[in-house]
């Protein structure tokens, strides 16, 4: 589904009447790619949280 705010309108300087309309292509992922992206994001979040807790001294050995 296309969001109207994503559309970009460019006016050609040589011909002010002509409007060029560009639309971004949709991004589609396979189920494997979507799963990998989700796991990678979760893993980065866990590493960030553990690193932050370690820097703050909240993790005890």
């Amino acid at each position: 589904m296309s969001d109207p705010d994503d559309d970009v309108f460019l006016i050609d300087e040589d011909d002010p009447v002509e409007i060029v309309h560009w639309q971004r292509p949709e991004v589609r992922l396979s189920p494997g790619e979507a799963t990998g992206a989700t796991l990678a994001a979760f893993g980065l979040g866990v590493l960030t949280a553990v690193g932050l807790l370690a820097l703050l001294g909240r993790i005890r050995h």
Side-chain angles (χ1 to χ4, degrees):
M1 185 171 194
S2 178
D3 187 8
D5 295 333
D6 287 343
D7 294 343
V8 178
F9 293 93
L10 301 174
I11 298 175
D12 189 1
E13 297 295 329
D14 297 332
D15 187 11
V17 178
E18 181 183 352
I19 297 177
V20 180
H21 181 212
W22 296 86
Q23 187 173 5
R24 295 182 199 161
E26 291 184 23
V27 177
R28 297 199 182 246
L29 298 175
S30 70
E33 291 172 331
T35 301
T38 302
L39 291 175
F42 180 76
L44 286 174
V46 168
L47 288 175
T48 301
V50 169
L52 184 61
L53 290 172
L55 287 174
L56 293 175
R58 302 284 180 172
I59 296 179
R60 296 193 176 118
H61 298 344

